[in-house]
Amino acid sequence: MTNTSKLVRDRIPEIVRSHGEDPTYYQADPAEYRNRLRAKLTEEVTEFLAATDDDAVEELADILEVVYALAADLGTAQPELDEARRQKATTNGAFAHRIIWTGTRG
């Protein structure tokens, strides 16, 4: 029996059962869930940083899923988060022009 304690996607117990294994799990309380989501974000970012270009988009999708879950946990739906991102991009720009800040003169 493996004993790994981490937040997983909702269908993982069902998928494990379909492979003939008996998963053990529990539902986190709200405080643990928020902490586990933050840890999951770190895990997914680490996986993205180690990914090849071929796997990078899938890893980004995992990061996005965690970000949306964090936003929902904070009371913000996906469309609201997307709108906040759009507003910030309008105000401060995005990252499309590859600008690297090196300081100021004077």
Side-chain angles (χ1 to χ4, degrees):
M1 177 171 144
T2 339
N3 186 9
T4 306
S5 175
K6 68 178 189 173
L7 182 66
V8 295
R9 290 175 176 261
D10 298 339
R11 292 195 57 225
I12 294 302
E14 172 188 337
I15 292 167
V16 168
R17 266 190 229 94
S18 76
H19 290 104
E21 296 180 49
D22 186 21
T24 60
Y25 60 95
Y26 65 93
Q27 186 174 26
D29 65 39
E32 180 183 5
Y33 177 61
R34 184 170 287 178
N35 287 333
R36 296 284 186 150
L37 278 171
R38 289 171 184 250
K40 179 59 82 172
L41 181 58
T42 300
E43 175 189 331
E44 297 299 349
V45 168
T46 299
E47 289 176 6
F48 167 74
L49 293 173
T52 64
D53 286 351
D54 291 339
D55 297 328
V57 171
E58 185 175 325
E59 297 302 335
L60 284 172
D62 289 342
I63 291 168
L64 196 53
E65 192 68 37
V66 175
V67 167
Y68 285 145
L70 280 162
D73 185 58
L74 294 168
T76 301
Q78 181 179 336
E80 293 172 285
L81 180 62
D82 290 339
E83 180 57 28
R85 186 208 58 80
R86 275 190 289 282
Q87 287 177 9
K88 192 151 190 179
T90 298
T91 303
N92 296 340
F95 295 98
H97 298 293
R98 302 186 305 255
I99 295 171
I100 307 299
W101 182 261
T102 60
T104 58
R105 291 187 179 92

